[in-house]
Amino acid sequence: MSIDNLWTAGGIVSIPLLGFSLLAIALIIERIIFWWRVKNKQRRIIKEVLSLYRTDRFAAINKLKQNAHLPIARIFLEAMELEEPTPAEFRLALDSAVQAEIPVLRKFGTWFQTIVTASPLLGLLGTILGLIQSFSAMDLGNAAAANASGVTGGLSEALISTVMGLVVAIFTLLFANAFRGLYLRELAFIQELGGQLELLNRRYHQGAREYATYK
């Protein structure tokens, strides 16, 4: 059976399922590009920034601005651009920036959840509609007069719509879980590097400011 015949045989529910499948593919491609850009060079960039921050705060800030497409770079900028912050203010700026970036890291999560939940339900709806078509084509009082093509067509629609709904849901779920795993690892990475940045701020900058104030 060709793809065109498959979508036709799936009945009316094949239309929203086709829309869901195309939407899922588009969102998956966008998320793959996003995570590839994030993972491709962020570790090297952040290590350079932390090394620069020990001796030259402004050079570190400029390096972050050059890579502002990275979520962790935007997070670090929020704290590092503060003028003479206290440790509590520095940490608050980091925490607030992390919260602001979470929707970016989890982007389209609601859409993925909707597709995964609704696709099997649409497949079930197609199953019910197909069975209704099959029963309506039957003449229970006269088996010979039953519309064989209507019966088999309804059963085919019922089965195909179920399969389509499950395929769309499973395909989307696999990628949604992969993106969730990337989000959790990225969040842990941000928290780890954020802690290192706080230590560097206290050791190399906060201490220097306190010494200058004391003198």
Side-chain angles (χ1 to χ4, degrees):
M1 182 180 290
S2 66
I3 296 296
D4 292 339
N5 291 336
L6 181 64
W7 288 109
T8 302
I12 191 171
V13 298
S14 64
I15 297 175
L17 285 173
L18 176 61
F20 275 164
S21 64
L22 295 176
L23 177 61
I25 290 171
L27 299 184
I28 288 168
I29 291 173
E30 192 279 339
R31 288 288 85 187
I32 289 174
I33 294 173
F34 169 81
W35 284 113
W36 180 83
R37 292 178 63 190
V38 168
K39 296 294 186 180
N40 189 37
K41 60 178 182 179
Q42 97 169 340
R43 188 173 293 273
R44 175 178 58 82
I45 295 296
I46 295 305
K47 285 186 176 180
E48 292 178 9
V49 168
L50 292 177
S51 179
L52 284 172
Y53 191 62
R54 290 179 172 89
T55 56
D56 192 340
R57 169 174 166 263
F58 294 103
I61 290 175
N62 288 332
K63 186 72 174 179
L64 290 173
K65 288 181 177 179
Q66 293 170 10
N67 296 275
H69 63 282
L70 298 174
I72 194 171
R74 296 192 293 268
I75 291 169
F76 279 17
L77 275 172
E78 289 294 325
M80 291 168 63
E81 287 185 325
L82 293 175
E83 291 296 333
E84 300 186 0
T86 65
E89 291 171 340
F90 195 86
R91 180 173 183 79
L92 180 60
L94 280 177
D95 291 343
S96 299
V98 169
Q99 293 302 314
E101 290 296 327
I102 284 178
V104 177
L105 299 175
R106 299 183 64 179
K107 190 176 181 182
F108 302 134
T110 302
W111 279 106
F112 286 130
Q113 184 178 0
T114 300
I115 293 171
V116 169
T117 304
S119 294
L121 294 178
L122 284 171
L124 179 60
L125 176 61
T127 301
I128 295 172
L129 293 176
L131 292 176
I132 291 174
Q133 178 182 332
S134 295
F135 285 124
S136 65
M138 292 180 181
D139 188 345
L140 299 180
N142 185 3
N147 184 352
S149 62
V151 173
T152 57
L155 292 175
S156 176
E157 177 181 331
L159 295 174
I160 290 174
S161 61
T162 302
V163 171
M164 289 169 56
L166 290 174
V167 168
V168 173
I170 293 170
F171 173 78
T172 306
L173 179 62
L174 291 174
F175 281 96
N177 283 342
F179 296 141
R180 186 174 185 275
L182 289 170
Y183 155 72
L184 292 175
R185 286 194 292 273
E186 181 68 13
L187 193 59
F189 177 76
I190 290 172
Q191 291 172 343
E192 176 190 353
L193 273 295
Q196 293 183 25
L197 181 63
E198 284 189 71
L199 290 174
L200 291 176
N201 177 66
R202 294 191 183 194
R203 178 174 296 178
Y204 293 98
H205 298 282
Q206 188 65 34
R209 285 192 293 269
E210 291 175 355
Y211 177 73
T213 302
Y214 175 76
K215 289 184 66 178

